[in-house]
Amino acid sequence: MISLVENDAPQLQELMAAIVAHAGTAAVIGITGSPGVGKSTMTSALVKAFRAQERRVGVLAVDPSSPFTGGALLGDRVRMQDHAMDSGVYIRSMATRGHLGGLSAATPQAVRVLDAAGCDVVLVETVGVGQSEVEVAALADTTIVLLAPGMGDGIQAAKAGILEVGDIFGVNKADHDGADHVVRDLKNMTRMVERDPGDWRQPIVATVASTGQGIDDLVDAISKHRDWLAESGELERRRRARVRDEIEALALATLRQRFADLHGDERLDTLADKVLLGELDPYSAAGEIVAAVS
Amino acid sequence: MISLVENDAPQLQELMAAIVAHAGTAAVIGITGSPGVGKSTMTSALVKAFRAQERRVGVLAVDPSSPFTGGALLGDRVRMQDHAMDSGVYIRSMATRGHLGGLSAATPQAVRVLDAAGCDVVLVETVGVGQSEVEVAALADTTIVLLAPGMGDGIQAAKAGILEVGDIFGVNKADHDGADHVVRDLKNMTRMVERDPGDWRQPIVATVASTGQGIDDLVDAISKHRDWLAESGELERRRRARVRDEIEALALATLRQRFADLHGDERLDTLADKVLLGELDPYSAAGEIVAAVS
């Protein structure tokens, strides 16, 4: 089913209609951070911890950063070999490039598949600083932002917008030099965020994913966040926002497709050439496209 | 004018119509890379080099990674103080969050403003691994991907899709331990890319932006890439693709706005709730939206 999602197969509408009533119970956890912070190792450690709680786990390694090559590297799967023989774990690298609605439509659909298939937890792992990180945050109930010492200083982290995106911060490779410094910087930064009483206070958890150190604390933080989500009404709000994004992405993709079907490619080239020659402004060009599809 | 772009002001169409015939001559150079590799220092070094060639330079520091806070940190401007008194340099941090068409529409508009205003070179600096990096590559004639030692290994770099995005690789902080290693890894990776004769071969330039070491080589590589772009027809192809993206982003934004104007917010909520209750699939929900705007 995830292959159908990935390839944006024509059966997808029928498939989604069939499974939509069976989804809605999985806890969706996003894991993101810069390359090299140890996301895959952390994902593997979390899978182990959730399995110890006898929860069924689905893992989606989404790679939105490579629209050209399309698809995550083999490395992800290799690193997850620990769980290869466990029927309570499903692991999948997924490319979203072929999907009409991109990351915003493909990922919630894949999450829905795993949810409906009976996963109690769905872990969505994504490389990224920047837009893809923000999109992952929008897809998850709980977003863990991983950092590690030696990957750039505090100001840089703030610049990348992680403060707003993370529900929980993991400072991984906590046995490396400089980890204390990262924890301290994060503490100072999170302290500066204005909060109302009842707002979530982002915990900072030091971990060494490769040895399992701190993983219990992280699992505990995830569980506390889950409780807060349910009590505050935020869970419902986030899930609605996620479905809204999905619907909107599909609608825009449909309109784009409709335009393409109307010899849109040539028409766009003609319009682009007029703009390049200085004969037409881009807004008027866009207006012609809007008129064509509506 | 860039403030008008940033704020998606109603005058924008008129403005673009007035300047579109005056743009099209600037060389647009994108600089991207993970946080901490030294993008701002490199931008400053390149500004100095281009000024030595008596070329007028515009710098756009685009921060797509922070849609919540909206806007780049003051740090960028502080670091560019060297050029504050030079009337041949214009430096601007730009947020794209308020813009209807997002990064894809706002940035080319801002580039057009600087181009029409007489900049010979427009440097677009963007934080990012992932989607934003790819978008920046689409915006520039020449994209420089900066790396630095200690920021994650070769496989990670490949994962982030930088191989496809960079026209030129800069290995900055070349005086730090491990820089040779990064250069070697990049050489091995670029060697594996299949190329036709006549295709561009991505050069790898070791630099220390803070001292100016290697900057002449980088400027030389940019100039060679420029020649290749012109001779191969790639420049025309890239510029057309850029304008196409801009037009399409504006068209989709217009459609989205049109939907929002039709009490779309409530309607989307109602549709999302039906999907969450398992009563409706997301494709049928998207179909209702498409029907509403067209």
Side-chain angles (χ1 to χ4, degrees):
Chain A
M1 284 196 191
I2 293 181
S3 295
L4 295 177
V5 169
E6 213 171 23
N7 300 324
D8 214 3
Q11 307 94 309
L12 219 48
Q13 169 153 15
E14 201 184 337
L15 174 71
M16 286 295 137
I19 70 169
V20 70
H22 302 282
T25 55
V28 185
I29 300 170
I31 300 178
T32 189
S34 300
V37 296
K39 285 181 297 300
S40 299
T41 318
M42 177 59 79
T43 301
S44 185
L46 285 175
V47 169
K48 200 173 153 194
F50 290 128
R51 289 301 294 146
Q53 299 174 342
E54 298 189 357
R55 298 165 81 185
R56 291 165 57 114
V57 185
V59 176
L60 285 174
V62 182
D63 191 351
S65 59
S66 192
F68 302 105
T69 50
L73 291 191
L74 191 63
D76 283 329
R77 295 196 214 184
V78 173
R79 270 178 279 180
M80 299 302 277
Q81 269 178 349
D82 291 352
H83 312 288
M85 306 302 289
D86 181 348
S87 66
V89 179
Y90 177 86
I91 295 166
R92 174 68 183 245
S93 290
M94 191 176 78
T96 58
R97 109 194 240 226
H99 201 282
L100 210 55
L103 181 66
S104 341
T107 313
Q109 293 185 346
V111 168
R112 186 178 292 117
V113 167
L114 294 180
D115 185 346
C119 290
D120 303 304
V121 178
V122 178
L123 291 169
V124 182
E125 181 200 322
T126 314
V127 164
V129 181
Q131 203 51 45
S132 64
E133 195 164 67
V134 174
E135 289 185 35
V136 167
L139 297 170
D141 303 330
T142 300
T143 297
I144 303 169
V145 173
L146 273 195
L147 294 97
M151 306 294 293
D153 63 12
I155 273 264
Q156 299 284 1
K159 204 169 165 185
I162 61 155
L163 271 185
E164 297 88 350
V165 161
D167 297 307
I168 297 168
F169 294 110
V171 177
N172 197 29
K173 303 187 181 179
D175 52 345
H176 285 36
D177 280 352
D180 293 354
H181 198 79
V182 178
V183 170
R184 198 167 53 240
D185 276 1
L186 273 173
K187 276 194 180 145
N188 287 334
M189 287 195 288
T190 51
R191 211 171 278 145
M192 278 156 45
V193 178
E194 281 185 41
R195 284 195 190 76
D196 293 324
D199 280 359
W200 175 249
R201 305 190 78 82
Q202 301 149 310
I204 298 157
V205 185
T207 58
V208 184
S210 55
T211 66
Q213 187 189 317
I215 300 302
D216 286 349
D217 295 337
L218 189 59
V219 169
D220 188 50
I222 293 168
S223 162
K224 288 208 173 78
H225 186 249
R226 187 94 200 144
D227 293 344
W228 174 82
L229 284 173
E231 285 159 19
S232 63
E234 179 70 10
L235 184 61
E236 200 186 348
R237 202 195 62 74
R238 288 193 183 191
R239 300 205 143 183
R240 182 188 275 167
R242 193 194 308 166
V243 177
R244 282 177 57 123
D245 285 351
E246 181 187 2
I247 296 172
E248 210 176 19
L250 288 172
L252 290 173
T254 305
L255 289 165
R256 188 178 277 154
Q257 186 60 50
R258 186 185 288 183
F259 177 70
D261 292 344
L262 299 163
H263 303 285
D265 207 52
E266 289 159 43
R267 208 184 298 204
L268 245 185
D269 269 346
T270 310
L271 290 169
D273 285 341
K274 281 191 187 168
V275 173
L276 284 169
L277 290 169
E279 295 168 2
L280 188 72
D281 71 274
Y283 287 88
S284 303
E288 293 199 22
I289 292 186
V290 170
V293 296
S294 51
Chain B
M1 284 195 191
I2 292 180
S3 295
L4 296 176
V5 169
E6 214 171 22
N7 300 324
D8 213 3
Q11 308 93 309
L12 218 48
Q13 168 153 15
E14 200 185 340
L15 174 70
M16 286 296 137
I19 70 170
V20 71
H22 302 282
T25 54
V28 185
I29 300 169
I31 301 178
T32 188
S34 301
V37 296
K39 285 181 296 299
S40 299
T41 318
M42 178 57 80
T43 301
S44 185
L46 284 175
V47 169
K48 199 173 156 194
F50 290 128
R51 290 301 295 146
Q53 299 174 341
E54 297 189 359
R55 298 164 82 186
R56 291 165 56 114
V57 184
V59 175
L60 284 174
V62 181
D63 192 351
S65 60
S66 192
F68 302 105
T69 50
L73 292 189
L74 192 63
D76 283 329
R77 294 196 215 184
V78 172
R79 270 178 279 181
M80 300 301 278
Q81 270 178 349
D82 290 353
H83 312 287
M85 305 303 288
D86 181 349
S87 66
V89 179
Y90 177 85
I91 295 167
R92 174 69 185 244
S93 290
M94 191 177 76
T96 59
R97 107 194 241 225
H99 201 282
L100 210 56
L103 180 67
S104 339
T107 314
Q109 291 185 348
V111 168
R112 186 178 292 117
V113 167
L114 294 180
D115 185 347
C119 290
D120 303 303
V121 178
V122 178
L123 292 169
V124 181
E125 181 199 324
T126 313
V127 164
V129 182
Q131 201 52 45
S132 63
E133 194 165 67
V134 173
E135 288 185 35
V136 168
L139 296 171
D141 302 330
T142 300
T143 298
I144 302 169
V145 173
L146 272 196
L147 294 97
M151 305 295 293
D153 62 13
I155 273 263
Q156 298 286 2
K159 205 170 162 184
I162 62 156
L163 271 184
E164 297 89 347
V165 162
D167 297 307
I168 298 168
F169 294 109
V171 178
N172 197 29
K173 304 189 182 178
D175 52 346
H176 284 36
D177 279 351
D180 294 354
H181 198 79
V182 178
V183 170
R184 198 167 54 238
D185 276 1
L186 274 173
K187 276 195 179 145
N188 287 333
M189 287 196 288
T190 51
R191 212 171 277 146
M192 279 157 43
V193 177
E194 282 185 41
R195 285 195 190 76
D196 293 324
D199 280 359
W200 175 248
R201 307 190 77 83
Q202 300 148 310
I204 298 157
V205 184
T207 58
V208 184
S210 56
T211 66
Q213 185 189 319
I215 300 301
D216 286 349
D217 295 336
L218 190 59
V219 169
D220 189 49
I222 294 168
S223 161
K224 287 207 173 79
H225 186 248
R226 186 95 201 145
D227 293 343
W228 174 82
L229 283 173
E231 286 159 18
S232 63
E234 179 69 11
L235 184 61
E236 199 184 348
R237 202 196 61 75
R238 288 192 183 190
R239 300 205 144 183
R240 181 189 275 167
R242 193 194 309 167
V243 177
R244 282 177 57 123
D245 285 350
E246 181 187 3
I247 295 172
E248 209 175 20
L250 289 171
L252 289 174
T254 305
L255 287 165
R256 187 178 280 153
Q257 186 59 50
R258 186 185 289 185
F259 177 70
D261 292 345
L262 299 163
H263 302 285
D265 209 51
E266 289 159 42
R267 208 184 296 205
L268 244 185
D269 270 346
T270 309
L271 291 168
D273 285 341
K274 283 190 185 169
V275 173
L276 284 169
L277 290 168
E279 296 168 2
L280 188 72
D281 72 275
Y283 286 88
S284 303
E288 294 199 21
I289 292 185
V290 170
V293 296
S294 49

